[in-house]
């Protein structure tokens, strides 16, 4: 697939078919994705590829904690941060949520449907596979996140070449302790990102979502460029 087409095609997919993804394909995706740039070629990422029994245990562990309203461990508190009310960031967040809830026919009052929607993320959207990207805690967090972000985007783009789609998701690693336990991730590794991966179920309404983007001229300042 052409690179520009891949960038346009990538979107977050929130329901997958049960069809398994072969280890061979996942390996190819990670091998090419690891061509991502990183500061001074430090390649700070490590990949934990979850599937089968292990992923099912993570799903169950996550949902159990969610249903018991358990607070995530302190190492994950950064992903709970709320965007300031009235800010453009909060407004964009509300816009995508409204689109998704409308597609899924979930009203504000429908607590059961809202809870099920929330749990989907913690279940890795029932994807057959997921990649958890970690990085050594001894590395400075800011640079590490930039490097992990580039490899993460590569995973989402290169997956398309194999007919696979993805959803990057914080929800899957919110309960880092659950993921650590079942995937065997040691304490010296920071859980930086997770990507659910599989073949998309195009009949699922939320998979029709088209996230908006700010017109680019609102985000660019030309400096000495004619
Ligand atoms: C760091 C990061 C974390 C995300 N976490 C979640 C998540 O937990 N649950 C979810 O449904 N989507 C999650 N997303 C997907 C975003 O909601 C999505 O990328 C955004 O709405 C734009 O939509 P698009 O990916 O379809 O273009 C995450 C994306 C990123 C980059």
């Amino acid at each position: 697939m052409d690179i520009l087409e891949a960038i346009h095609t990538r979107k977050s997919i929130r329901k997958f078919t049960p069809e398994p993804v072969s280890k061979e394909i996942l390996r190819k995706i990670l091998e090419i994705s690891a061509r991502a740039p990183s500061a001074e070629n430090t390649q700070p990422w490590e990949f934990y590829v979850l599937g089968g029994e292990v992923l099912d245990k993570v799903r169950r562990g996550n949902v159990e904690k969610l249903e018991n309203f358990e607070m995530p461990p302190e190492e994950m508190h950064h992903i709970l941060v709320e965007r300031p009310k009235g800010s453009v960031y909060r407004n964009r967040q509300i816009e995508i949520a409204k689109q998704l809830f409308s597609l899924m026919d979930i009203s504000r009052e429908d607590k059961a449907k809202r809870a099920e929607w929330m749990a989907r993320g913690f279940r890795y959207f029932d994807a057959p596979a997921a990649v958890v990207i970690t990085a050594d805690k001894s590395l400075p967090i800011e640079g590490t996140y930039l490097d992990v972000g580039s490899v993460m985007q590569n995973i989402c783009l290169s997956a398309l070449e194999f007919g696979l789609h993805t959803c990057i998701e914080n929800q899957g690693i919110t309960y880092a302790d659950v993921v650590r336990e079942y995937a065997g991730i040691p304490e010296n590794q920071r859980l930086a990102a997770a990507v659910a991966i599989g073949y998309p179920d195009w009949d699922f309404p939320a998979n029709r979502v088209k996230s908006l983007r700010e017109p680019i001229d609102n985000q660019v300042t030309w400096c000495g460029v004619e």
Side-chain angles (χ1 to χ4, degrees):
M1 185 186 280
D2 167 71
I3 183 72
L4 298 187
E5 189 190 344
I7 292 169
H8 276 294
T9 305
R10 187 216 59 80
K11 64 184 292 192
S12 295
I13 287 297
R14 295 182 174 88
K15 186 168 194 257
F16 301 87
T17 70
E19 188 180 345
V21 185
S22 78
K23 184 174 179 179
E24 192 195 346
I25 290 178
L26 289 167
R27 198 181 168 284
K28 277 187 190 158
I29 289 171
L30 294 178
E31 191 171 37
I32 188 72
S33 297
R35 293 300 309 168
S38 58
E40 296 168 282
N41 202 24
T42 40
Q43 305 164 63
W45 44 72
E46 291 194 22
F47 306 107
Y48 288 80
V49 187
L50 280 52
E53 269 280 286
V54 172
L55 185 50
D56 284 340
K57 282 181 182 165
V58 170
R59 292 189 233 273
R60 283 198 293 272
N62 278 349
V63 170
E64 196 180 315
K65 285 192 184 251
L66 181 71
E67 286 175 349
N68 290 331
F69 304 103
E70 268 193 47
M71 268 299 280
E74 201 169 330
E75 62 172 314
M76 301 313 286
H77 283 189
H78 60 281
I79 62 176
L80 303 178
V81 167
E82 291 215 339
R83 280 79 185 170
K85 279 204 176 85
S87 69
V88 68
Y89 312 109
R90 176 75 160 247
N91 293 344
R92 289 174 187 152
Q93 187 184 355
I94 292 169
E95 192 283 330
I96 191 75
K98 274 189 178 166
Q99 263 205 71
L100 288 165
F101 279 32
S102 162
L103 283 164
M104 294 299 295
D105 197 23
I106 304 174
S107 69
R108 277 185 87 83
E109 302 74 39
D110 196 333
K111 287 199 176 130
K113 272 193 182 175
R114 288 173 79 97
E116 162 55 17
W117 175 257
M118 171 79 95
R120 298 188 60 73
F122 286 78
R123 294 201 313 260
Y124 284 82
F125 305 105
D126 300 328
V131 179
V132 173
I133 311 173
T134 70
D136 198 292
K137 280 185 181 167
S138 67
L139 299 165
I141 193 164
E142 299 87 349
T144 299
Y145 274 133
L146 288 178
D147 298 339
V148 166
S150 64
V151 83
M152 181 181 83
Q153 173 77 341
N154 274 359
I155 292 171
C156 297
L157 295 178
S158 57
L160 296 170
E161 184 67 20
F162 301 91
L164 291 160
H165 284 248
T166 52
C167 189
I168 300 162
E169 57 154 320
N170 279 340
Q171 286 171 305
I173 51 172
T174 300
Y175 292 116
D177 44 341
V178 171
V179 186
R180 279 188 193 287
E181 181 184 347
Y182 295 118
I185 303 175
E187 283 299 329
N188 71 327
Q189 290 290 309
R190 188 189 307 288
L191 274 69
V195 184
I197 184 160
Y199 299 95
D201 178 346
W202 291 119
D203 292 332
F204 189 65
N207 286 348
R208 292 201 298 271
V209 74
K210 178 95 181 94
S211 61
L212 302 179
R213 292 295 184 274
E214 191 70 25
I216 198 63
D217 287 331
N218 294 349
Q219 295 181 316
V220 180
T221 305
W222 302 103
C223 309
V225 178
E226 296 304 325

